[in-house]
Amino acid sequence: MQVLRTEVMPIRSSQDLVVVRQAVRTWSAELKFSLVEQTKMVTAASELARNTLDYGKGGQVTLQVLQDGLRKGLRLSFEDQGPGIPDIELALRDGYTTGGGMGLGLGGAKRLVNEFDIVSKVGEGTRVTVTRWK
Amino acid sequence: MERIPILRMGKVLLVTIQVDMHDQLAVTLQDDLTARIVETGARGVLIDISSLEVVDSFIGRILGNIATMARVLDAQTVVVGMQPAVAITLVELGMSLPGVRTALNVEKGMALLQASIKADEAEPEVLDASLED
């Protein structure tokens, strides 16, 4: 698998969420994702970026265009150095929230992408990686 | 400070969201709308989201909050113009916008609001009449 393009963007404020959404939209469109695929990817990015901001106390996202044989994909990796998630299975469950949201962020984002990976260490931080293939 | 304009049309407040909303802007809209309902005595709120390309769980929650707060203040809310891709994504995300009434476009939303405002205003008279019997 080849990485064709990489960009790192900060997630420090609610304004940064808008910038990240716009970048994911542009990259998805360049990969010729359908409008529904674009919207799913942008929405997943919005949920995960907000988690990075609200629970991780800020961090960054790495956008990557991947080439795997004939197919291309967009991978987003959200990283923070926040408190980490003690129970990932519980955090992925719909309706579970420690914040003020509806508890759809992680589980919902997982449903909107093709691949979903989460690594978290309590006291060290969290990394959520999602990929959507064309 | 950046704000989403709220227009008044008779008994209805009309909001057209034309920008990619950041979270603070959505919260400000929620606060502004509730204040305007009280100020104007509006009976209906029409929110046009046809320009919104993304509705995530946060924006969804704000739309739900607005509908609930408006209801408490004796006003009804209709959200109109959701793009098909947004609807598909919202459902997959796991949100069904409970408590939020929707219509296809502004025209249908306005008709729905006007009919239910009319029905709402007719109701007390019917109740009074039945009490006298």
Side-chain angles (χ1 to χ4, degrees):
Chain A
M1 193 165 58
Q2 256 182 298
V3 177
L4 300 180
R5 185 179 169 194
T6 302
E7 193 177 325
V8 179
M9 302 178 80
I11 302 171
R12 298 266 163 231
S13 69
S14 113
Q15 193 60 54
D16 286 343
L17 299 193
V18 176
V19 179
V20 169
R21 285 203 289 255
Q22 281 162 354
V24 173
R25 171 73 70 183
T26 307
W27 287 43
S28 304
E30 279 169 14
L31 280 165
K32 301 212 163 39
F33 282 7
S34 73
L35 189 56
V36 172
E37 288 171 326
Q38 288 178 33
T39 306
K40 285 182 180 177
M41 198 59 174
V42 176
T43 307
S46 186
E47 299 292 339
L48 297 174
R50 187 175 293 102
N51 282 354
T52 300
L53 186 65
D54 291 350
Y55 299 108
K57 313 291 170 217
Q60 61 179 42
V61 57
T62 306
L63 292 81
Q64 288 183 315
V65 174
L66 306 177
Q67 174 102 46
D68 179 32
L70 285 173
R71 63 177 189 168
K72 278 188 180 175
L74 178 58
R75 174 165 292 169
L76 309 173
S77 195
F78 296 83
E79 285 170 278
D80 67 61
Q81 277 77 52
I85 303 169
D87 187 342
I88 287 174
E89 213 174 295
L90 185 62
L92 277 166
R93 201 179 294 166
D94 275 354
Y96 178 80
T97 177
T98 53
M102 300 189 86
L104 293 170
L106 270 187
K110 190 179 177 185
R111 283 192 291 275
L112 297 176
V113 297
N114 299 129
E115 287 169 26
F116 182 93
D117 180 59
I118 181 165
V119 182
S120 188
K121 278 210 175 110
V122 172
E124 288 180 30
T126 302
R127 188 180 67 231
V128 182
T129 307
V130 295
T131 312
R132 200 166 175 102
W133 295 100
K134 176 63 196 168
Chain B
M1 197 173 114
E2 198 186 357
R3 280 196 142 82
I4 294 170
I6 300 170
L7 307 176
R8 184 180 176 182
M9 278 180 71
K11 291 175 178 171
V12 173
L13 297 178
L14 179 63
V15 179
T16 305
I17 302 171
Q18 304 253 12
V19 289
D20 189 352
M21 276 201 296
H22 59 82
D23 295 0
Q24 188 50 49
L25 190 57
V27 174
T28 305
L29 173 65
Q30 176 183 290
D31 296 349
D32 287 352
L33 254 179
T34 45
R36 284 295 296 276
I37 293 170
V38 173
E39 254 170 54
T40 61
R43 303 299 311 277
V45 176
L46 188 74
I47 304 175
D48 175 24
I49 60 167
S50 55
S51 302
L52 267 193
E53 292 181 336
V54 179
V55 175
D56 62 12
S57 64
F58 185 84
I59 301 294
R61 182 158 60 97
I62 294 285
L63 290 175
N65 284 355
I66 288 174
T68 308
M69 289 170 190
R71 189 62 271 178
V72 171
L73 297 170
D74 197 22
Q76 320 197 22
T77 305
V78 176
V79 171
V80 305
M82 187 182 292
Q83 292 182 14
V86 171
I88 292 167
T89 302
L90 257 189
V91 171
E92 209 136 322
L93 191 63
M95 283 201 82
S96 50
L97 294 183
V100 178
R101 283 204 292 169
T102 55
L104 200 56
N105 52 40
V106 173
E107 197 181 350
K108 289 189 167 158
M110 196 59 95
L112 178 62
L113 267 181
Q114 253 138 19
S116 56
I117 290 169
K118 217 171 157 188
D120 232 26
E121 285 174 345
E123 219 170 292
E125 288 167 34
V126 174
L127 275 178
D128 287 348
S130 63
L131 281 174
E132 280 165 24
D133 282 346

